[in-house]
Amino acid sequence: MSSPPTAPAGSPILEMARRAAEYRAAGRRIIDLTLGEPDFAPPVHAVAAAQRAAARPMGYTSASGTPELRRAARHALERDRALSYSDAEVAVGCGAKQVIFNAFFATLRPGDEVIIPAPYWASYPDMVRLCGAVPVIVPCPAESGFRLTPDAVAAAVTERTRWIVLNAPGNPSGATYGHDLLAGLAEVLRRHPSTLILSDEIYAHIRYHAGEYVSIAQVAPDLRERILLVDGVSKAYAMTGWRVGWGFGAPDLIHRITAVQTHNCTQTSTVSQIAAVAALQGPQDLLAERRETYRRRRDAGLAILKRSRHLDTVEPDGAFYLFPRLAAGNDLAAADALLEAGCATVPGSAFGAPGHLRLSFATDIAALEEGCRIIVATLDGISA
């Protein structure tokens, strides 16, 4: 009888947030730069739709989401990324996170491998391990722009590779992929037809370079049947707690994802789905407005961090994180020292990138600037 998968550790991001909350409860002033939690309110039209819906009876919906939400998600993807999917190619979950887990659970078997570029979102490896599979971590350092390269994929892929993970803009790096690099990755993956491609695009609307977002689903339409494109309302629409995400993929994969959903939580909250429809169909001006706010925060934080000779910070292309590299020292010890000094960060080791720190700038600019000043003063003091 096979052994069950090793129980994962809790989220290191949530652990640092918990420690920061404990310090605040004890009366300490702590600038919290840990969570990827937008500080904006949800769109007013989404809230209004939820309020109206909550006043009337609501029952179960389909495990794959309401027809209205699947249609709204499809139309939004066509509007924003010129990609067209049918209703049978959409699965709705309790956030993008659950869609990804359901996909892994539905397809991975013990011994399967999943290629994960590092730095990575902290949950990817543990999701894979929970399914009894093996995360294959491929380092993508700052010198490569934190991007996975075709050569790195070619070296990592084996006959056991079941998935490869792409996350752009990346958490925690903010890295994005251009057309040529995605085309190069696609060329390698064409030689490995049993490998599925997870394209986690939850931060697609939060990017700072000119031009349209580029998805591997656009660049390599011939790989469409192998791509699961994941998105949701949590980041762009500041609806993290509403827990609504979705995935676009081949009908067979969507059927498997939905089958898993029927047995773990049945469906995403009905009222949240109604709110998500309103967010997708309502005015979209707030996306550009909030992106500019994030850009100002990014630039303000970078300006302060660059004053320290002990930090090297790459300007992120997207998302809302700064990911400075320590010139010397242990990132775990540095995060502890910074918490004691009054600023909560997440050590880069949580993302497969020791020697870095992750700072969320999804927070008030004054708090961000204060936190960055604490970081610079503390690290400069330690190294003096």
Side-chain angles (χ1 to χ4, degrees):
M1 183 175 180
S2 61
S3 301
T6 302
S11 165
I13 305 168
L14 296 180
E15 172 62 17
M16 287 301 295
R18 181 195 65 78
R19 291 178 60 191
E22 286 185 350
Y23 274 56
R24 286 195 298 272
R28 294 282 304 278
R29 173 169 167 72
I30 301 292
I31 303 298
D32 191 347
L33 305 181
T34 60
L35 293 178
E37 177 107 75
D39 61 330
F40 298 111
V44 292
H45 44 282
V47 174
Q51 289 173 331
R52 291 191 297 270
R56 64 178 187 264
M58 281 184 291
Y60 292 121
T61 75
S62 166
S64 61
T66 65
E68 294 80 8
L69 178 54
R70 293 198 301 275
R71 182 166 56 249
R74 291 192 292 107
H75 290 171
L77 187 71
E78 189 164 7
R79 174 191 69 206
D80 299 334
R81 270 159 268 181
L83 289 166
S84 180
Y85 285 82
S86 70
D87 199 60
E89 295 175 305
V90 190
V92 173
C94 299
K97 188 174 193 174
Q98 192 194 32
V99 174
I100 295 169
F101 181 84
N102 286 353
F104 285 167
F105 193 86
T107 57
L108 290 174
R109 300 294 178 266
D112 285 347
E113 296 176 350
V114 177
I115 294 174
I116 303 174
Y120 48 69
W121 177 46
S123 289
Y124 291 138
D126 275 335
M127 286 182 176
V128 171
R129 293 186 188 102
L130 277 170
C131 297
V134 180
V136 176
I137 309 302
V138 179
C140 302
E143 290 75 16
S144 68
F146 299 118
R147 298 177 183 92
L148 191 62
T149 65
D151 286 346
V153 174
V157 70
T158 73
E159 70 278 0
R160 295 184 297 277
T161 304
R162 183 61 171 150
W163 285 91
I164 181 172
V165 174
L166 298 176
N167 173 212
N171 175 3
S173 69
T176 57
Y177 287 79
H179 182 282
D180 291 348
L181 184 51
L182 288 172
L185 294 172
E187 186 58 35
V188 174
L189 292 168
R190 289 187 181 98
R191 302 197 292 268
H192 301 276
S194 63
T195 299
L196 300 171
I197 304 157
L198 169 63
S199 187
D200 183 349
E201 303 182 9
I202 193 67
Y203 292 97
H205 284 294
I206 307 173
R207 61 188 191 280
Y208 309 113
H209 56 77
E212 299 298 320
Y213 182 84
V214 182
S215 168
I216 193 169
Q218 297 166 304
V219 173
D222 58 305
L223 299 182
R224 177 189 175 102
E225 295 299 303
R226 295 162 53 190
I227 296 170
L228 178 66
L229 189 160
V230 176
D231 206 342
V233 293
S234 61
K235 307 300 183 180
Y237 296 93
M239 296 175 68
T240 52
W242 298 73
R243 306 314 303 143
V244 185
W246 47 82
F248 300 96
D252 178 64
L253 176 60
I254 295 302
H255 176 76
R256 293 186 184 195
I257 291 170
T258 301
V260 174
Q261 178 85 335
T262 64
H263 295 295
N264 60 26
C265 71
T266 304
Q267 62 156 98
T268 303
S269 163
T270 304
V271 70
S272 292
Q273 293 187 60
I274 291 168
V277 171
L280 293 172
Q281 294 181 337
Q284 301 297 300
D285 296 349
L286 84 169
L287 298 178
E289 294 167 2
R290 293 177 177 185
R291 183 166 59 244
E292 286 309 305
T293 299
Y294 286 133
R295 185 197 302 274
R296 290 193 295 271
R297 294 173 179 179
R298 178 198 67 171
D299 293 347
L302 277 171
I304 295 172
L305 295 179
K306 287 184 180 295
R307 297 173 190 169
S308 174
R309 65 184 185 280
H310 302 295
L311 292 172
D312 179 22
T313 309
V314 175
E315 181 178 285
D317 293 332
F320 39 62
Y321 308 103
L322 296 170
F323 201 55
R325 179 167 54 188
L326 302 166
N330 181 295
D331 59 303
L332 300 172
D336 286 341
L338 291 171
L339 184 59
E340 289 294 332
C343 182
T345 64
V346 186
S349 295
F351 309 98
H356 289 259
L357 296 169
R358 194 193 77 169
L359 325 175
S360 170
F361 54 87
T363 190
D364 176 78
I365 193 167
L368 172 67
E369 290 177 328
E370 182 181 353
C372 288
R373 284 192 292 268
I374 291 172
I375 292 168
V376 170
T378 303
L379 295 180
D380 285 357
I382 291 173
S383 302

